[in-house]
PDB file of all heavy atoms in Angstrom:
ATOM      1  N   ALA R  38     -79.706 -29.387 167.977  1.00  0.00           N
ATOM      2  CA  ALA R  38     -80.321 -29.155 169.286  1.00  0.00           C
ATOM      3  C   ALA R  38     -81.539 -28.287 169.174  1.00  0.00           C
ATOM      4  O   ALA R  38     -82.601 -28.536 169.773  1.00  0.00           O
ATOM      5  CB  ALA R  38     -79.310 -28.489 170.208  1.00  0.00           C
ATOM      6  N   ASN R  39     -81.452 -27.228 168.388  1.00  0.00           N
ATOM      7  CA  ASN R  39     -82.587 -26.265 168.247  1.00  0.00           C
ATOM      8  C   ASN R  39     -83.728 -26.816 167.441  1.00  0.00           C
ATOM      9  O   ASN R  39     -84.870 -26.464 167.641  1.00  0.00           O
ATOM     10  CB  ASN R  39     -82.114 -24.963 167.643  1.00  0.00           C
ATOM     11  CG  ASN R  39     -81.423 -24.081 168.735  1.00  0.00           C
ATOM     12  OD1 ASN R  39     -82.045 -23.481 169.534  1.00  0.00           O
ATOM     13  ND2 ASN R  39     -80.062 -24.162 168.749  1.00  0.00           N
ATOM     14  N   LEU R  40     -83.427 -27.653 166.503  1.00  0.00           N
ATOM     15  CA  LEU R  40     -84.530 -28.279 165.679  1.00  0.00           C
ATOM     16  C   LEU R  40     -84.922 -29.633 166.208  1.00  0.00           C
ATOM     17  O   LEU R  40     -85.889 -30.243 165.708  1.00  0.00           O
ATOM     18  CB  LEU R  40     -84.126 -28.401 164.206  1.00  0.00           C
ATOM     19  CG  LEU R  40     -83.850 -27.116 163.447  1.00  0.00           C
ATOM     20  CD1 LEU R  40     -83.501 -27.385 161.987  1.00  0.00           C
ATOM     21  CD2 LEU R  40     -85.059 -26.189 163.500  1.00  0.00           C
ATOM     22  N   ASP R  41     -84.305 -30.061 167.291  1.00  0.00           N
ATOM     23  CA  ASP R  41     -84.544 -31.315 167.960  1.00  0.00           C
ATOM     24  C   ASP R  41     -84.543 -32.514 167.037  1.00  0.00           C
ATOM     25  O   ASP R  41     -85.503 -33.265 166.944  1.00  0.00           O
ATOM     26  CB  ASP R  41     -85.931 -31.210 168.722  1.00  0.00           C
ATOM     27  CG  ASP R  41     -86.127 -32.294 169.716  1.00  0.00           C
ATOM     28  OD1 ASP R  41     -85.062 -32.850 170.227  1.00  0.00           O
ATOM     29  OD2 ASP R  41     -87.283 -32.649 170.063  1.00  0.00           O
ATOM     30  N   ILE R  42     -83.430 -32.644 166.315  1.00  0.00           N
ATOM     31  CA  ILE R  42     -83.275 -33.719 165.377  1.00  0.00           C
ATOM     32  C   ILE R  42     -81.953 -34.461 165.682  1.00  0.00           C
ATOM     33  O   ILE R  42     -81.033 -33.852 166.273  1.00  0.00           O
ATOM     34  CB  ILE R  42     -83.343 -33.313 163.920  1.00  0.00           C
ATOM     35  CG1 ILE R  42     -82.265 -32.199 163.602  1.00  0.00           C
ATOM     36  CG2 ILE R  42     -84.665 -32.880 163.513  1.00  0.00           C
ATOM     37  CD1 ILE R  42     -82.236 -31.791 162.140  1.00  0.00           C
ATOM     38  N   LEU R  43     -81.821 -35.703 165.336  1.00  0.00           N
ATOM     39  CA  LEU R  43     -80.581 -36.416 165.507  1.00  0.00           C
ATOM     40  C   LEU R  43     -79.454 -35.894 164.625  1.00  0.00           C
ATOM     41  O   LEU R  43     -79.670 -35.437 163.518  1.00  0.00           O
ATOM     42  CB  LEU R  43     -80.819 -37.939 165.205  1.00  0.00           C
ATOM     43  CG  LEU R  43     -81.855 -38.619 166.056  1.00  0.00           C
ATOM     44  CD1 LEU R  43     -82.076 -40.078 165.471  1.00  0.00           C
ATOM     45  CD2 LEU R  43     -81.362 -38.687 167.510  1.00  0.00           C
ATOM     46  N   ARG R  44     -78.291 -35.933 165.159  1.00  0.00           N
ATOM     47  CA  ARG R  44     -77.132 -35.373 164.393  1.00  0.00           C
ATOM     48  C   ARG R  44     -76.907 -36.163 163.089  1.00  0.00           C
ATOM     49  O   ARG R  44     -76.503 -35.595 162.100  1.00  0.00           O
ATOM     50  CB  ARG R  44     -75.878 -35.387 165.268  1.00  0.00           C
ATOM     51  CG  ARG R  44     -76.025 -34.301 166.338  1.00  0.00           C
ATOM     52  CD  ARG R  44     -74.818 -33.982 167.087  1.00  0.00           C
ATOM     53  NE  ARG R  44     -73.777 -33.493 166.172  1.00  0.00           N
ATOM     54  CZ  ARG R  44     -72.626 -33.092 166.618  1.00  0.00           C
ATOM     55  NH1 ARG R  44     -72.332 -33.072 167.841  1.00  0.00           N
ATOM     56  NH2 ARG R  44     -71.647 -32.711 165.754  1.00  0.00           N
ATOM     57  N   GLY R  45     -77.127 -37.479 163.097  1.00  0.00           N
ATOM     58  CA  GLY R  45     -77.024 -38.241 161.875  1.00  0.00           C
ATOM     59  C   GLY R  45     -77.998 -37.833 160.841  1.00  0.00           C
ATOM     60  O   GLY R  45     -77.661 -37.725 159.646  1.00  0.00           O
ATOM     61  N   THR R  46     -79.228 -37.607 161.210  1.00  0.00           N
ATOM     62  CA  THR R  46     -80.255 -37.099 160.308  1.00  0.00           C
ATOM     63  C   THR R  46     -79.871 -35.744 159.772  1.00  0.00           C
ATOM     64  O   THR R  46     -79.931 -35.495 158.535  1.00  0.00           O
ATOM     65  CB  THR R  46     -81.623 -37.009 161.053  1.00  0.00           C
ATOM     66  OG1 THR R  46     -82.006 -38.234 161.553  1.00  0.00           O
ATOM     67  CG2 THR R  46     -82.679 -36.390 160.162  1.00  0.00           C
ATOM     68  N   LEU R  47     -79.377 -34.867 160.654  1.00  0.00           N
ATOM     69  CA  LEU R  47     -78.902 -33.576 160.206  1.00  0.00           C
ATOM     70  C   LEU R  47     -77.765 -33.636 159.264  1.00  0.00           C
ATOM     71  O   LEU R  47     -77.733 -32.927 158.231  1.00  0.00           O
ATOM     72  CB  LEU R  47     -78.553 -32.667 161.454  1.00  0.00           C
ATOM     73  CG  LEU R  47     -77.984 -31.311 161.080  1.00  0.00           C
ATOM     74  CD1 LEU R  47     -79.085 -30.484 160.377  1.00  0.00           C
ATOM     75  CD2 LEU R  47     -77.460 -30.587 162.287  1.00  0.00           C
ATOM     76  N   SER R  48     -76.837 -34.457 159.545  1.00  0.00           N
ATOM     77  CA  SER R  48     -75.647 -34.622 158.647  1.00  0.00           C
ATOM     78  C   SER R  48     -76.057 -34.961 157.228  1.00  0.00           C
ATOM     79  O   SER R  48     -75.589 -34.380 156.233  1.00  0.00           O
ATOM     80  CB  SER R  48     -74.724 -35.724 159.210  1.00  0.00           C
ATOM     81  OG  SER R  48     -73.600 -35.883 158.384  1.00  0.00           O
ATOM     82  N   LYS R  49     -77.018 -35.869 157.115  1.00  0.00           N
ATOM     83  CA  LYS R  49     -77.479 -36.283 155.698  1.00  0.00           C
ATOM     84  C   LYS R  49     -78.172 -35.124 155.058  1.00  0.00           C
ATOM     85  O   LYS R  49     -77.987 -34.877 153.873  1.00  0.00           O
ATOM     86  CB  LYS R  49     -78.460 -37.405 155.839  1.00  0.00           C
ATOM     87  CG  LYS R  49     -77.853 -38.737 156.282  1.00  0.00           C
ATOM     88  CD  LYS R  49     -78.829 -39.844 156.476  1.00  0.00           C
ATOM     89  CE  LYS R  49     -78.168 -41.084 157.084  1.00  0.00           C
ATOM     90  NZ  LYS R  49     -79.125 -42.040 157.531  1.00  0.00           N
ATOM     91  N   GLN R  50     -78.969 -34.330 155.795  1.00  0.00           N
ATOM     92  CA  GLN R  50     -79.661 -33.206 155.270  1.00  0.00           C
ATOM     93  C   GLN R  50     -78.658 -32.110 154.810  1.00  0.00           C
ATOM     94  O   GLN R  50     -78.785 -31.483 153.727  1.00  0.00           O
ATOM     95  CB  GLN R  50     -80.691 -32.679 156.212  1.00  0.00           C
ATOM     96  CG  GLN R  50     -81.752 -33.656 156.598  1.00  0.00           C
ATOM     97  CD  GLN R  50     -82.549 -34.205 155.397  1.00  0.00           C
ATOM     98  OE1 GLN R  50     -82.890 -33.488 154.457  1.00  0.00           O
ATOM     99  NE2 GLN R  50     -82.827 -35.480 155.404  1.00  0.00           N
ATOM    100  N   LEU R  51     -77.713 -31.849 155.642  1.00  0.00           N
ATOM    101  CA  LEU R  51     -76.678 -30.847 155.367  1.00  0.00           C
ATOM    102  C   LEU R  51     -75.949 -31.216 154.095  1.00  0.00           C
ATOM    103  O   LEU R  51     -75.623 -30.314 153.267  1.00  0.00           O
ATOM    104  CB  LEU R  51     -75.734 -30.612 156.524  1.00  0.00           C
ATOM    105  CG  LEU R  51     -76.368 -29.931 157.755  1.00  0.00           C
ATOM    106  CD1 LEU R  51     -75.368 -29.931 158.910  1.00  0.00           C
ATOM    107  CD2 LEU R  51     -76.828 -28.487 157.465  1.00  0.00           C
ATOM    108  N   THR R  52     -75.582 -32.511 153.961  1.00  0.00           N
ATOM    109  CA  THR R  52     -74.844 -32.934 152.777  1.00  0.00           C
ATOM    110  C   THR R  52     -75.687 -32.725 151.520  1.00  0.00           C
ATOM    111  O   THR R  52     -75.181 -32.145 150.544  1.00  0.00           O
ATOM    112  CB  THR R  52     -74.466 -34.454 152.887  1.00  0.00           C
ATOM    113  OG1 THR R  52     -73.578 -34.614 154.041  1.00  0.00           O
ATOM    114  CG2 THR R  52     -73.779 -34.942 151.686  1.00  0.00           C
ATOM    115  N   PHE R  53     -76.942 -33.031 151.591  1.00  0.00           N
ATOM    116  CA  PHE R  53     -77.891 -32.811 150.510  1.00  0.00           C
ATOM    117  C   PHE R  53     -77.992 -31.323 150.155  1.00  0.00           C
ATOM    118  O   PHE R  53     -77.862 -30.959 148.971  1.00  0.00           O
ATOM    119  CB  PHE R  53     -79.277 -33.334 150.841  1.00  0.00           C
ATOM    120  CG  PHE R  53     -80.317 -33.044 149.831  1.00  0.00           C
ATOM    121  CD1 PHE R  53     -80.486 -33.898 148.689  1.00  0.00           C
ATOM    122  CD2 PHE R  53     -81.148 -31.932 149.974  1.00  0.00           C
ATOM    123  CE1 PHE R  53     -81.402 -33.589 147.749  1.00  0.00           C
ATOM    124  CE2 PHE R  53     -82.115 -31.691 149.027  1.00  0.00           C
ATOM    125  CZ  PHE R  53     -82.246 -32.472 147.889  1.00  0.00           C
ATOM    126  N   LEU R  54     -78.127 -30.534 151.200  1.00  0.00           N
ATOM    127  CA  LEU R  54     -78.307 -29.055 150.882  1.00  0.00           C
ATOM    128  C   LEU R  54     -76.982 -28.434 150.413  1.00  0.00           C
ATOM    129  O   LEU R  54     -76.984 -27.538 149.523  1.00  0.00           O
ATOM    130  CB  LEU R  54     -78.697 -28.355 152.242  1.00  0.00           C
ATOM    131  CG  LEU R  54     -80.133 -28.680 152.690  1.00  0.00           C
ATOM    132  CD1 LEU R  54     -80.371 -28.139 154.115  1.00  0.00           C
ATOM    133  CD2 LEU R  54     -81.185 -28.239 151.703  1.00  0.00           C
ATOM    134  N   ARG R  55     -75.867 -28.964 150.798  1.00  0.00           N
ATOM    135  CA  ARG R  55     -74.602 -28.450 150.316  1.00  0.00           C
ATOM    136  C   ARG R  55     -74.454 -28.866 148.852  1.00  0.00           C
ATOM    137  O   ARG R  55     -74.001 -28.067 147.981  1.00  0.00           O
ATOM    138  CB  ARG R  55     -73.435 -28.989 151.182  1.00  0.00           C
ATOM    139  CG  ARG R  55     -72.118 -28.327 150.846  1.00  0.00           C
ATOM    140  CD  ARG R  55     -70.937 -28.773 151.798  1.00  0.00           C
ATOM    141  NE  ARG R  55     -70.725 -30.203 151.824  1.00  0.00           N
ATOM    142  CZ  ARG R  55     -71.078 -31.023 152.825  1.00  0.00           C
ATOM    143  NH1 ARG R  55     -71.619 -30.560 153.951  1.00  0.00           N
ATOM    144  NH2 ARG R  55     -70.818 -32.278 152.789  1.00  0.00           N
ATOM    145  N   LYS R  56     -74.739 -30.091 148.472  1.00  0.00           N
ATOM    146  CA  LYS R  56     -74.676 -30.574 147.126  1.00  0.00           C
ATOM    147  C   LYS R  56     -75.610 -29.791 146.168  1.00  0.00           C
ATOM    148  O   LYS R  56     -75.254 -29.594 145.021  1.00  0.00           O
ATOM    149  CB  LYS R  56     -74.933 -32.058 147.052  1.00  0.00           C
ATOM    150  CG  LYS R  56     -73.820 -32.946 147.535  1.00  0.00           C
ATOM    151  CD  LYS R  56     -74.117 -34.418 147.430  1.00  0.00           C
ATOM    152  CE  LYS R  56     -73.007 -35.279 147.969  1.00  0.00           C
ATOM    153  NZ  LYS R  56     -73.324 -36.695 147.970  1.00  0.00           N
ATOM    154  N   LYS R  57     -76.733 -29.390 146.730  1.00  0.00           N
ATOM    155  CA  LYS R  57     -77.679 -28.532 145.924  1.00  0.00           C
ATOM    156  C   LYS R  57     -77.256 -27.144 145.800  1.00  0.00           C
ATOM    157  O   LYS R  57     -77.800 -26.357 145.049  1.00  0.00           O
ATOM    158  CB  LYS R  57     -79.085 -28.589 146.617  1.00  0.00           C
ATOM    159  CG  LYS R  57     -79.801 -29.924 146.425  1.00  0.00           C
ATOM    160  CD  LYS R  57     -80.189 -30.120 144.995  1.00  0.00           C
ATOM    161  CE  LYS R  57     -81.284 -31.105 144.793  1.00  0.00           C
ATOM    162  NZ  LYS R  57     -81.683 -31.223 143.409  1.00  0.00           N
ATOM    163  N   GLY R  58     -76.210 -26.765 146.549  1.00  0.00           N
ATOM    164  CA  GLY R  58     -75.682 -25.385 146.450  1.00  0.00           C
ATOM    165  C   GLY R  58     -76.424 -24.354 147.328  1.00  0.00           C
ATOM    166  O   GLY R  58     -76.354 -23.166 147.092  1.00  0.00           O
ATOM    167  N   PHE R  59     -77.092 -24.792 148.386  1.00  0.00           N
ATOM    168  CA  PHE R  59     -77.852 -23.942 149.238  1.00  0.00           C
ATOM    169  C   PHE R  59     -77.122 -23.509 150.512  1.00  0.00           C
ATOM    170  O   PHE R  59     -77.407 -22.477 151.109  1.00  0.00           O
ATOM    171  CB  PHE R  59     -79.225 -24.556 149.680  1.00  0.00           C
ATOM    172  CG  PHE R  59     -80.061 -24.926 148.548  1.00  0.00           C
ATOM    173  CD1 PHE R  59     -80.785 -26.097 148.471  1.00  0.00           C
ATOM    174  CD2 PHE R  59     -80.212 -24.112 147.355  1.00  0.00           C
ATOM    175  CE1 PHE R  59     -81.648 -26.458 147.451  1.00  0.00           C
ATOM    176  CE2 PHE R  59     -80.975 -24.430 146.276  1.00  0.00           C
ATOM    177  CZ  PHE R  59     -81.699 -25.641 146.319  1.00  0.00           C
ATOM    178  N   ILE R  60     -76.175 -24.272 150.909  1.00  0.00           N
ATOM    179  CA  ILE R  60     -75.344 -24.003 152.040  1.00  0.00           C
ATOM    180  C   ILE R  60     -73.905 -24.251 151.719  1.00  0.00           C
ATOM    181  O   ILE R  60     -73.531 -24.980 150.788  1.00  0.00           O
ATOM    182  CB  ILE R  60     -75.718 -24.862 153.311  1.00  0.00           C
ATOM    183  CG1 ILE R  60     -75.413 -26.321 153.135  1.00  0.00           C
ATOM    184  CG2 ILE R  60     -77.158 -24.609 153.714  1.00  0.00           C
ATOM    185  CD1 ILE R  60     -75.530 -27.133 154.407  1.00  0.00           C
ATOM    186  N   GLU R  61     -73.061 -23.604 152.487  1.00  0.00           N
ATOM    187  CA  GLU R  61     -71.596 -23.708 152.433  1.00  0.00           C
ATOM    188  C   GLU R  61     -71.048 -24.098 153.843  1.00  0.00           C
ATOM    189  O   GLU R  61     -71.608 -23.676 154.835  1.00  0.00           O
ATOM    190  CB  GLU R  61     -70.921 -22.475 151.942  1.00  0.00           C
ATOM    191  CG  GLU R  61     -71.257 -22.088 150.509  1.00  0.00           C
ATOM    192  CD  GLU R  61     -70.626 -20.751 150.147  1.00  0.00           C
ATOM    193  OE1 GLU R  61     -70.354 -19.904 151.023  1.00  0.00           O
ATOM    194  OE2 GLU R  61     -70.510 -20.543 148.958  1.00  0.00           O
ATOM    195  N   VAL R  62     -69.884 -24.742 153.839  1.00  0.00           N
ATOM    196  CA  VAL R  62     -69.237 -25.032 155.059  1.00  0.00           C
ATOM    197  C   VAL R  62     -67.992 -24.162 155.157  1.00  0.00           C
ATOM    198  O   VAL R  62     -67.220 -24.037 154.193  1.00  0.00           O
ATOM    199  CB  VAL R  62     -68.794 -26.517 155.206  1.00  0.00           C
ATOM    200  CG1 VAL R  62     -67.982 -26.786 156.465  1.00  0.00           C
ATOM    201  CG2 VAL R  62     -70.046 -27.377 155.174  1.00  0.00           C
ATOM    202  N   LYS R  63     -67.867 -23.464 156.295  1.00  0.00           N
ATOM    203  CA  LYS R  63     -66.624 -22.663 156.517  1.00  0.00           C
ATOM    204  C   LYS R  63     -65.905 -23.238 157.705  1.00  0.00           C
ATOM    205  O   LYS R  63     -66.521 -23.778 158.698  1.00  0.00           O
ATOM    206  CB  LYS R  63     -67.040 -21.211 156.843  1.00  0.00           C
ATOM    207  CG  LYS R  63     -67.892 -20.539 155.785  1.00  0.00           C
ATOM    208  CD  LYS R  63     -67.091 -20.183 154.574  1.00  0.00           C
ATOM    209  CE  LYS R  63     -68.000 -19.423 153.560  1.00  0.00           C
ATOM    210  NZ  LYS R  63     -67.337 -19.039 152.411  1.00  0.00           N
ATOM    211  N   TYR R  64     -64.596 -23.230 157.728  1.00  0.00           N
ATOM    212  CA  TYR R  64     -63.806 -23.779 158.760  1.00  0.00           C
ATOM    213  C   TYR R  64     -63.236 -22.711 159.647  1.00  0.00           C
ATOM    214  O   TYR R  64     -62.852 -21.642 159.135  1.00  0.00           O
ATOM    215  CB  TYR R  64     -62.725 -24.633 158.223  1.00  0.00           C
ATOM    216  CG  TYR R  64     -63.240 -25.906 157.515  1.00  0.00           C
ATOM    217  CD1 TYR R  64     -63.574 -25.871 156.204  1.00  0.00           C
ATOM    218  CD2 TYR R  64     -63.480 -27.033 158.301  1.00  0.00           C
ATOM    219  CE1 TYR R  64     -64.065 -27.007 155.562  1.00  0.00           C
ATOM    220  CE2 TYR R  64     -64.051 -28.179 157.664  1.00  0.00           C
ATOM    221  CZ  TYR R  64     -64.324 -28.145 156.286  1.00  0.00           C
ATOM    222  OH  TYR R  64     -64.803 -29.246 155.678  1.00  0.00           O
ATOM    223  N   ASP R  65     -63.162 -22.936 160.926  1.00  0.00           N
ATOM    224  CA  ASP R  65     -62.609 -22.000 161.902  1.00  0.00           C
ATOM    225  C   ASP R  65     -61.142 -21.800 161.589  1.00  0.00           C
ATOM    226  O   ASP R  65     -60.408 -22.760 161.345  1.00  0.00           O
ATOM    227  CB  ASP R  65     -62.833 -22.580 163.325  1.00  0.00           C
ATOM    228  CG  ASP R  65     -62.450 -21.611 164.377  1.00  0.00           C
ATOM    229  OD1 ASP R  65     -61.173 -21.268 164.497  1.00  0.00           O
ATOM    230  OD2 ASP R  65     -63.335 -21.135 165.126  1.00  0.00           O
ATOM    231  N   GLN R  66     -60.702 -20.575 161.530  1.00  0.00           N
ATOM    232  CA  GLN R  66     -59.290 -20.265 161.242  1.00  0.00           C
ATOM    233  C   GLN R  66     -58.373 -20.802 162.263  1.00  0.00           C
ATOM    234  O   GLN R  66     -57.248 -21.283 161.944  1.00  0.00           O
ATOM    235  CB  GLN R  66     -59.093 -18.764 161.019  1.00  0.00           C
ATOM    236  CG  GLN R  66     -59.833 -18.181 159.853  1.00  0.00           C
ATOM    237  CD  GLN R  66     -59.445 -18.808 158.497  1.00  0.00           C
ATOM    238  OE1 GLN R  66     -58.257 -19.054 158.295  1.00  0.00           O
ATOM    239  NE2 GLN R  66     -60.398 -19.038 157.681  1.00  0.00           N
ATOM    240  N   ALA R  67     -58.748 -20.804 163.521  1.00  0.00           N
ATOM    241  CA  ALA R  67     -57.910 -21.253 164.600  1.00  0.00           C
ATOM    242  C   ALA R  67     -57.920 -22.742 164.766  1.00  0.00           C
ATOM    243  O   ALA R  67     -56.887 -23.381 165.184  1.00  0.00           O
ATOM    244  CB  ALA R  67     -58.284 -20.555 165.963  1.00  0.00           C
ATOM    245  N   ASP R  68     -59.008 -23.346 164.461  1.00  0.00           N
ATOM    246  CA  ASP R  68     -59.148 -24.860 164.672  1.00  0.00           C
ATOM    247  C   ASP R  68     -59.905 -25.407 163.476  1.00  0.00           C
ATOM    248  O   ASP R  68     -61.131 -25.323 163.355  1.00  0.00           O
ATOM    249  CB  ASP R  68     -59.876 -25.141 165.966  1.00  0.00           C
ATOM    250  CG  ASP R  68     -59.980 -26.623 166.228  1.00  0.00           C
ATOM    251  OD1 ASP R  68     -59.625 -27.420 165.376  1.00  0.00           O
ATOM    252  OD2 ASP R  68     -60.354 -26.965 167.421  1.00  0.00           O
ATOM    253  N   LYS R  69     -59.215 -25.952 162.500  1.00  0.00           N
ATOM    254  CA  LYS R  69     -59.778 -26.407 161.211  1.00  0.00           C
ATOM    255  C   LYS R  69     -60.834 -27.534 161.393  1.00  0.00           C
ATOM    256  O   LYS R  69     -61.537 -27.929 160.552  1.00  0.00           O
ATOM    257  CB  LYS R  69     -58.703 -26.873 160.262  1.00  0.00           C
ATOM    258  CG  LYS R  69     -57.782 -25.716 159.822  1.00  0.00           C
ATOM    259  CD  LYS R  69     -58.543 -24.717 159.019  1.00  0.00           C
ATOM    260  CE  LYS R  69     -57.566 -23.643 158.492  1.00  0.00           C
ATOM    261  NZ  LYS R  69     -58.223 -22.541 157.832  1.00  0.00           N
ATOM    262  N   ARG R  70     -60.814 -28.171 162.660  1.00  0.00           N
ATOM    263  CA  ARG R  70     -61.779 -29.239 162.934  1.00  0.00           C
ATOM    264  C   ARG R  70     -63.186 -28.673 163.108  1.00  0.00           C
ATOM    265  O   ARG R  70     -64.209 -29.303 162.985  1.00  0.00           O
ATOM    266  CB  ARG R  70     -61.432 -30.029 164.170  1.00  0.00           C
ATOM    267  CG  ARG R  70     -60.120 -30.788 163.988  1.00  0.00           C
ATOM    268  CD  ARG R  70     -59.666 -31.410 165.325  1.00  0.00           C
ATOM    269  NE  ARG R  70     -59.483 -30.314 166.261  1.00  0.00           N
ATOM    270  CZ  ARG R  70     -59.241 -30.449 167.553  1.00  0.00           C
ATOM    271  NH1 ARG R  70     -59.197 -31.635 168.071  1.00  0.00           N
ATOM    272  NH2 ARG R  70     -59.015 -29.385 168.312  1.00  0.00           N
ATOM    273  N   VAL R  71     -63.333 -27.371 163.464  1.00  0.00           N
ATOM    274  CA  VAL R  71     -64.610 -26.733 163.704  1.00  0.00           C
ATOM    275  C   VAL R  71     -65.168 -26.224 162.425  1.00  0.00           C
ATOM    276  O   VAL R  71     -64.598 -25.431 161.709  1.00  0.00           O
ATOM    277  CB  VAL R  71     -64.431 -25.587 164.742  1.00  0.00           C
ATOM    278  CG1 VAL R  71     -65.736 -24.907 164.984  1.00  0.00           C
ATOM    279  CG2 VAL R  71     -63.778 -26.112 166.030  1.00  0.00           C
ATOM    280  N   LYS R  72     -66.424 -26.682 162.126  1.00  0.00           N
ATOM    281  CA  LYS R  72     -67.120 -26.284 160.917  1.00  0.00           C
ATOM    282  C   LYS R  72     -68.299 -25.420 161.228  1.00  0.00           C
ATOM    283  O   LYS R  72     -69.043 -25.705 162.184  1.00  0.00           O
ATOM    284  CB  LYS R  72     -67.597 -27.499 160.150  1.00  0.00           C
ATOM    285  CG  LYS R  72     -66.528 -28.404 159.656  1.00  0.00           C
ATOM    286  CD  LYS R  72     -67.026 -29.479 158.695  1.00  0.00           C
ATOM    287  CE  LYS R  72     -67.986 -30.464 159.378  1.00  0.00           C
ATOM    288  NZ  LYS R  72     -68.369 -31.571 158.549  1.00  0.00           N
ATOM    289  N   TYR R  73     -68.493 -24.370 160.387  1.00  0.00           N
ATOM    290  CA  TYR R  73     -69.679 -23.524 160.512  1.00  0.00           C
ATOM    291  C   TYR R  73     -70.518 -23.618 159.237  1.00  0.00           C
ATOM    292  O   TYR R  73     -69.909 -23.818 158.128  1.00  0.00           O
ATOM    293  CB  TYR R  73     -69.308 -22.068 160.739  1.00  0.00           C
ATOM    294  CG  TYR R  73     -68.503 -21.872 162.023  1.00  0.00           C
ATOM    295  CD1 TYR R  73     -67.083 -21.772 162.000  1.00  0.00           C
ATOM    296  CD2 TYR R  73     -69.177 -21.786 163.210  1.00  0.00           C
ATOM    297  CE1 TYR R  73     -66.380 -21.622 163.181  1.00  0.00           C
ATOM    298  CE2 TYR R  73     -68.466 -21.591 164.431  1.00  0.00           C
ATOM    299  CZ  TYR R  73     -67.027 -21.525 164.356  1.00  0.00           C
ATOM    300  OH  TYR R  73     -66.372 -21.357 165.566  1.00  0.00           O
ATOM    301  N   HIS R  74     -71.795 -23.418 159.363  1.00  0.00           N
ATOM    302  CA  HIS R  74     -72.643 -23.517 158.197  1.00  0.00           C
ATOM    303  C   HIS R  74     -73.196 -22.140 157.879  1.00  0.00           C
ATOM    304  O   HIS R  74     -73.600 -21.383 158.817  1.00  0.00           O
ATOM    305  CB  HIS R  74     -73.784 -24.493 158.400  1.00  0.00           C
ATOM    306  CG  HIS R  74     -73.316 -25.874 158.726  1.00  0.00           C
ATOM    307  ND1 HIS R  74     -72.824 -26.733 157.783  1.00  0.00           N
ATOM    308  CD2 HIS R  74     -73.233 -26.509 159.946  1.00  0.00           C
ATOM    309  CE1 HIS R  74     -72.452 -27.880 158.337  1.00  0.00           C
ATOM    310  NE2 HIS R  74     -72.686 -27.725 159.636  1.00  0.00           N
ATOM    311  N   THR R  75     -73.220 -21.825 156.626  1.00  0.00           N
ATOM    312  CA  THR R  75     -73.751 -20.495 156.165  1.00  0.00           C
ATOM    313  C   THR R  75     -74.470 -20.798 154.836  1.00  0.00           C
ATOM    314  O   THR R  75     -74.312 -21.802 154.232  1.00  0.00           O
ATOM    315  CB  THR R  75     -72.581 -19.435 155.981  1.00  0.00           C
ATOM    316  OG1 THR R  75     -73.179 -18.224 155.715  1.00  0.00           O
ATOM    317  CG2 THR R  75     -71.601 -19.863 154.902  1.00  0.00           C
ATOM    318  N   LEU R  76     -75.239 -19.846 154.425  1.00  0.00           N
ATOM    319  CA  LEU R  76     -76.096 -19.993 153.232  1.00  0.00           C
ATOM    320  C   LEU R  76     -75.442 -19.352 152.025  1.00  0.00           C
ATOM    321  O   LEU R  76     -74.818 -18.292 152.159  1.00  0.00           O
ATOM    322  CB  LEU R  76     -77.482 -19.339 153.464  1.00  0.00           C
ATOM    323  CG  LEU R  76     -78.378 -19.944 154.531  1.00  0.00           C
ATOM    324  CD1 LEU R  76     -79.628 -19.133 154.659  1.00  0.00           C
ATOM    325  CD2 LEU R  76     -78.632 -21.389 154.273  1.00  0.00           C
ATOM    326  N   THR R  77     -75.680 -19.916 150.874  1.00  0.00           N
ATOM    327  CA  THR R  77     -75.339 -19.300 149.618  1.00  0.00           C
ATOM    328  C   THR R  77     -76.430 -18.267 149.307  1.00  0.00           C
ATOM    329  O   THR R  77     -77.476 -18.268 150.032  1.00  0.00           O
ATOM    330  CB  THR R  77     -75.247 -20.357 148.494  1.00  0.00           C
ATOM    331  OG1 THR R  77     -76.565 -20.912 148.349  1.00  0.00           O
ATOM    332  CG2 THR R  77     -74.224 -21.426 148.775  1.00  0.00           C
TER     333      THR R  77
END
């Protein structure tokens, strides 16, 4: 929403950045379906 890009486009970019080791995914302790992104 903030970068005004499609979620599918973002998903591909996040996967790339995660594989490169620049971001990590953290899961909500109360609801494991909820994912948060943080930087390495």
Side-chain angles (χ1 to χ4, degrees):
N39 282 280
L40 296 181
D41 197 23
I42 56 176
L43 298 172
R44 291 192 58 176
T46 300
L47 176 64
S48 177
K49 290 174 189 169
Q50 299 303 319
L51 290 172
T52 298
F53 174 84
L54 294 171
R55 190 173 58 253
K56 287 180 179 177
K57 287 290 201 179
F59 302 140
I60 66 170
E61 294 178 335
V62 175
K63 304 285 183 180
Y64 293 90
D65 188 292
Q66 295 299 321
D68 186 349
K69 297 292 184 188
R70 296 173 298 173
V71 178
K72 297 190 295 187
Y73 298 100
H74 303 283
T75 189
L76 297 177
T77 63

